[in-house]
Amino acid sequence: MSTPPAPAPSAPFWPHCGYGADPGADPVGCPGIHVPNHTTCLAHLNDTDRNAYLTTLAPGTDIDHRGTPFTEPLLQALLQALHDPTTDRPRIGTAWFSRAQFSGDARFNRAQFSRDAWFAGARFSRDAWFGEARFSGTAQFGEARFSGDALFGGAKFSGTAQFGGAQFSREAWFGEARFSGNARFGEAQFSGNARFGEARFSGNARFGEAQFSRDARFGRARFSGTAQFGGAQFSRDARFGEARFSGTAQFGEAQFSRDAWFGRAQFSDDAGFEGARFAVTPSFGPVVCAKAVDLSGAVFEAPVTLEIAADAVRCERTRWESTATLRLRYAATDLSHAVLSFPVAVAAHPAPFTTRSTGPAAVDEGLLAGSDSGVRVVSVRGVDAAHLVLTDTDLSDCLFSGAFHLDQLRLEGRCIFAPTPTGLHRRHLIWPYRWTRRRALAEEHHWRAQSAGQPAPRPGQVPSPRDWRTGPHHPDPDLTPDPDDVAALYRQLRKAFEDGKDEPGAADFYYGEMEMRRRDRAGTPPGERGLLWGYWLVSGYGLRASRALGWLLAAMAATIVLIMGLGLPDSSPKQVATGTVPAGGGRVTLAVDKQDPQLTLSVGDRFTQERFDKALQVVLNSVVFRSSGQDLTTWGTYTEMASRFTEPVLLALAVLAMRGRIKR
């Protein structure tokens, strides 16, 4: 604590009475400052000198009684001498009470301090009454000791209010107090209840490393500047219900040993709880934050439900030592490297939160007006997903790389993934193509954007749906997952969809896995890539019925043309029986023979309706893997054999693709 500045020239510094003796019995040893023109402090003046001194005082006079021991009657006599009849309250100029000792009640109710008020290091043995007091300058209570109740209800502090290191042994009442300047309570100790309900902090409010041994009540308080509670210790309930924070709110490293109540609290700026510890908080919120609620590094030791409507919720390296449910609105949620020891559910809340403290009214979300109420999870990197449940969340930009046990991740409700680019594109500025419509991971978007040399959008620019989305490290290939890594992510998440009986979702992720294997030049051998290319071209990995049916129709059309043009003979050859009848009769031996089918028709005569019907019958039988029994030429026989292999396979792939889209 810094030493207060020396008095102004109009109030010269006077020596102490001395040190060491009992000031109530003997002036020798009294630490009190001397009264002007006397050799003792106010407490040790005789009655005549004291009365003479008090008669020199008028409302607004500067006084200096540092270190002076005050009894209750002596203080009342001093304040009575400074009483202003026009305002019916004591009015003091600069007040020096540093290290003063108040043995009885210190009643400064409604006192008006026109300039600075110095109570640094003062000792209040009983109650200190400052209700509705007015402090026009600095109010310095640093290192003060309040053994009784400290009553500042309705007080107004126009300048800095300094309570750093103060000790409040019993109740500290600051309800409805007004702090126009900075309020500093750093390292203050509140042994009793600390009541700041409906207090107004127009400047910065600093409670860093303050200790609250009993309830700390800030319900409906208003913080216009920065609210600093970093490192504060709340041994009992911390109540910030319906508080309003217009500036940044910092609760980093705070310790909440009991309930931390923030129901209906409103944060117009960031709300930081980095490294905070919540021992037995059953619920947090609902709170509304226009920017980010930062829970990075926070520890939740007991089961908890968090209800947060915010632009962003950061839970990087947050530790959940028991079950937890995060009900969110509007938020982009980052769970990077969070430690989940028990199941943790992240769910998008469909409607504004409600509380029943004052009736089932909806929480005001005006701070987030115009924003999309959907919840986006942007990262689960480094998370053990075996304990994670995501419900109705947008995973379009979610980074899964580095997560563990993704195959055990539970996805419930309607979870959205990024789609592939839309619209018609041209390869080499010539060949038109479209991307297959499916759900894709953000990592695939990032790799494709990086490998294609796609430029990153400018800050604030909305990515075009026609392009792949660039990643946070675009276009650095060393920090962008390669196809082998992305294929593993698809494979694990596909199992999560399958376990959830979501076959269409699993099909999309199987398609993504196969795409990454087909594109992987480092981990997939060339021969395997060739097979994958064929599998993709023919049927979209057995997942695109339209592609398989298209190839089936093309194969059938080609087979019909070949059968009509080369496979059907002029006519069906007839069987001929030949043999020799012995002259004397007896047994006859006959040889049954059949001529080879011949095709001698001109090209124009081969494509007729009759021949088309026959060729169609051959092809339709081939599709269902049957022989038509039609006589064919050698070319026709081989054509039929080929069609009996390829066309049933294409039909099966089409059926398989349709089944994958409708199965549950």
Side-chain angles (χ1 to χ4, degrees):
M1 180 60 58
S2 60
T3 303
S10 59
F13 183 85
W14 295 95
H16 295 163
C17 289
Y19 296 94
D22 180 4
D26 188 345
V28 177
C30 173
I33 208 77
H34 289 181
V35 174
N37 302 318
H38 293 82
T39 59
T40 62
C41 69
L42 180 63
H44 295 107
L45 288 177
N46 58 47
D47 293 343
T48 302
D49 291 339
R50 182 184 302 116
N51 292 333
Y53 165 72
L54 293 177
T55 58
T56 65
L57 302 180
T61 303
D62 295 343
I63 58 174
D64 184 2
H65 296 291
R66 285 174 286 172
T68 301
F70 280 93
T71 62
E72 186 172 348
L74 177 60
L75 177 62
Q76 291 304 310
L78 175 64
L79 296 178
Q80 183 61 38
L82 297 167
H83 186 268
D84 187 347
T86 60
T87 60
D88 193 27
R89 63 172 65 202
R91 182 163 60 87
I92 311 170
T94 301
W96 294 87
F97 289 98
S98 300
R99 299 184 302 277
Q101 302 175 30
F102 299 89
S103 56
D105 288 351
R107 298 181 178 274
F108 288 89
N109 312 57
R110 305 181 71 248
Q112 181 175 348
F113 298 87
S114 302
R115 287 188 287 273
D116 295 343
W118 292 87
F119 289 86
R123 302 294 187 268
F124 298 88
S125 300
R126 297 183 63 179
D127 295 345
W129 298 77
F130 288 86
E132 299 185 25
R134 302 293 184 268
F135 298 87
S136 300
T138 298
Q140 174 59 269
F141 287 85
E143 306 291 340
R145 302 293 184 268
F146 297 88
S147 299
D149 293 342
L151 307 171
F152 287 83
K156 292 184 178 180
F157 300 85
S158 299
T160 299
Q162 174 61 272
F163 288 84
Q167 295 183 11
F168 300 87
S169 300
R170 295 180 61 181
E171 305 288 302
W173 292 78
F174 288 86
E176 300 184 15
R178 301 293 185 269
F179 299 86
S180 300
N182 295 331
R184 298 174 180 174
F185 289 83
E187 301 183 12
Q189 299 180 19
F190 297 87
S191 299
N193 294 325
R195 302 176 184 271
F196 289 84
E198 300 189 32
R200 301 292 188 270
F201 299 88
S202 300
N204 297 329
R206 300 188 180 277
F207 289 82
E209 300 186 20
Q211 298 181 18
F212 299 88
S213 299
R214 297 183 66 84
D215 292 350
R217 301 187 178 185
F218 290 83
R220 297 185 180 179
R222 301 293 184 268
F223 299 86
S224 299
T226 299
Q228 173 60 262
F229 288 85
Q233 298 183 19
F234 299 89
S235 300
R236 297 282 294 271
D237 293 347
R239 297 187 172 273
F240 290 84
E242 300 187 52
R244 300 291 185 271
F245 299 85
S246 299
T248 302
Q250 288 291 340
F251 290 85
E253 305 294 335
Q255 308 288 318
F256 297 92
S257 300
R258 294 277 294 273
D259 192 8
W261 173 252
F262 285 84
R264 291 180 176 269
Q266 301 268 337
F267 298 87
S268 300
D269 209 308
D270 293 331
F273 292 86
E274 305 94 320
R277 179 176 289 270
F278 299 85
V280 290
T281 300
S283 63
F284 180 90
V287 302
V288 178
C289 180
K291 294 185 178 180
V293 175
D294 197 341
L295 296 167
S296 299
V299 179
F300 291 87
E301 300 179 7
V304 61
T305 298
L306 296 95
E307 295 183 331
I308 302 173
D311 182 68
V313 175
R314 301 191 187 102
C315 298
E316 300 180 39
R317 302 186 185 279
T318 303
R319 287 175 51 195
W320 313 92
E321 297 182 353
S322 187
T323 57
T325 300
L326 281 74
R327 297 173 183 162
L328 308 177
R329 288 176 57 77
Y330 302 95
T333 309
D334 190 343
L335 298 171
S336 298
H337 306 288
V339 180
L340 315 182
S341 301
F342 289 85
V344 174
V346 179
H349 199 71
F353 299 113
T354 59
T355 59
R356 296 186 178 274
S357 58
T358 57
V363 174
D364 181 15
E365 296 182 349
L367 293 175
L368 296 163
S371 302
D372 183 4
S373 62
V375 175
R376 297 180 295 117
V377 178
V378 298
S379 177
V380 294
R381 293 179 299 173
V383 175
D384 186 349
H387 295 300
L388 183 59
V389 182
L390 302 178
T391 304
D392 295 331
T393 55
D394 185 346
L395 303 174
S396 300
D397 297 311
C398 185
L399 299 177
F400 291 93
S401 57
F404 307 98
H405 301 132
L406 278 176
D407 57 322
Q408 301 178 44
L409 173 67
R410 290 180 57 186
L411 300 174
E412 299 183 353
R414 186 172 181 266
C415 290
I416 302 172
F417 288 85
T420 51
T422 61
L424 185 66
H425 303 263
R426 292 186 180 275
R427 184 171 285 110
H428 306 299
L429 302 178
I430 300 175
W431 306 110
Y433 69 94
R434 292 180 182 273
W435 291 106
T436 301
R437 300 298 297 160
R438 60 183 173 88
R439 286 172 278 191
L441 292 180
E443 282 86 353
E444 181 182 355
H445 273 263
H446 301 165
W447 174 79
R448 288 188 181 273
Q450 181 269 325
S451 60
Q454 180 179 307
R458 294 187 299 273
Q461 180 181 359
V462 179
S464 171
R466 291 177 51 84
D467 298 328
W468 295 97
R469 303 185 185 187
T470 57
H473 304 292
H474 184 81
D476 189 346
D478 295 331
L479 298 177
T480 302
D482 56 31
D484 188 34
D485 298 326
V486 181
L489 297 178
Y490 273 121
R491 183 162 51 252
Q492 295 182 69
L493 288 170
R494 173 169 59 87
K495 185 177 183 300
F497 277 101
E498 292 172 346
D499 292 344
K501 306 302 180 183
D502 186 355
E503 291 294 333
D508 276 356
F509 276 51
Y510 175 73
Y511 193 105
E513 176 190 352
M514 301 298 282
E515 276 286 277
M516 293 296 96
R517 290 178 57 193
R518 180 168 67 93
R519 298 285 185 175
D520 182 17
R521 295 182 176 274
T524 306
E528 184 177 338
R529 288 206 312 273
L531 290 175
L532 292 174
W533 272 95
Y535 195 19
W536 165 77
L537 183 64
V538 170
S539 63
Y541 310 112
L543 297 174
R544 298 297 179 260
S546 58
R547 191 175 303 181
L549 289 174
W551 281 108
L552 175 61
L553 294 176
M556 292 173 63
T559 303
I560 290 174
V561 172
L562 290 174
I563 292 295
M564 292 175 64
L566 301 174
L568 292 175
D570 296 341
S571 60
S572 299
K574 298 179 180 180
Q575 293 182 342
V576 178
T578 60
T580 302
V581 179
R587 185 174 181 178
V588 178
T589 301
L590 299 177
V592 180
D593 195 9
K594 185 177 182 180
Q595 296 180 354
D596 292 335
Q598 300 293 323
L599 178 58
T600 60
L601 296 174
S602 63
V603 175
D605 293 334
R606 297 179 186 183
F607 297 94
T608 63
Q609 181 64 43
E610 180 181 359
R611 291 173 65 84
F612 174 80
D613 291 339
K614 292 181 179 181
L616 181 59
Q617 294 178 22
V618 172
V619 172
L620 292 177
N621 279 281
S622 297
V623 170
V624 294
F625 208 70
R626 293 178 55 192
S627 174
S628 64
Q630 173 68 46
D631 291 322
L632 300 172
T633 64
T634 301
W635 279 100
T637 300
Y638 283 112
T639 300
E640 183 187 34
M641 292 172 62
S643 66
R644 288 179 63 189
F645 173 76
T646 58
E647 291 165 9
V649 172
L650 292 172
L651 178 62
L653 290 173
V655 173
L656 178 65
M658 288 187 288
R659 178 178 179 274
R661 285 297 172 185
I662 62 176
K663 181 184 177 182
R664 288 290 181 184

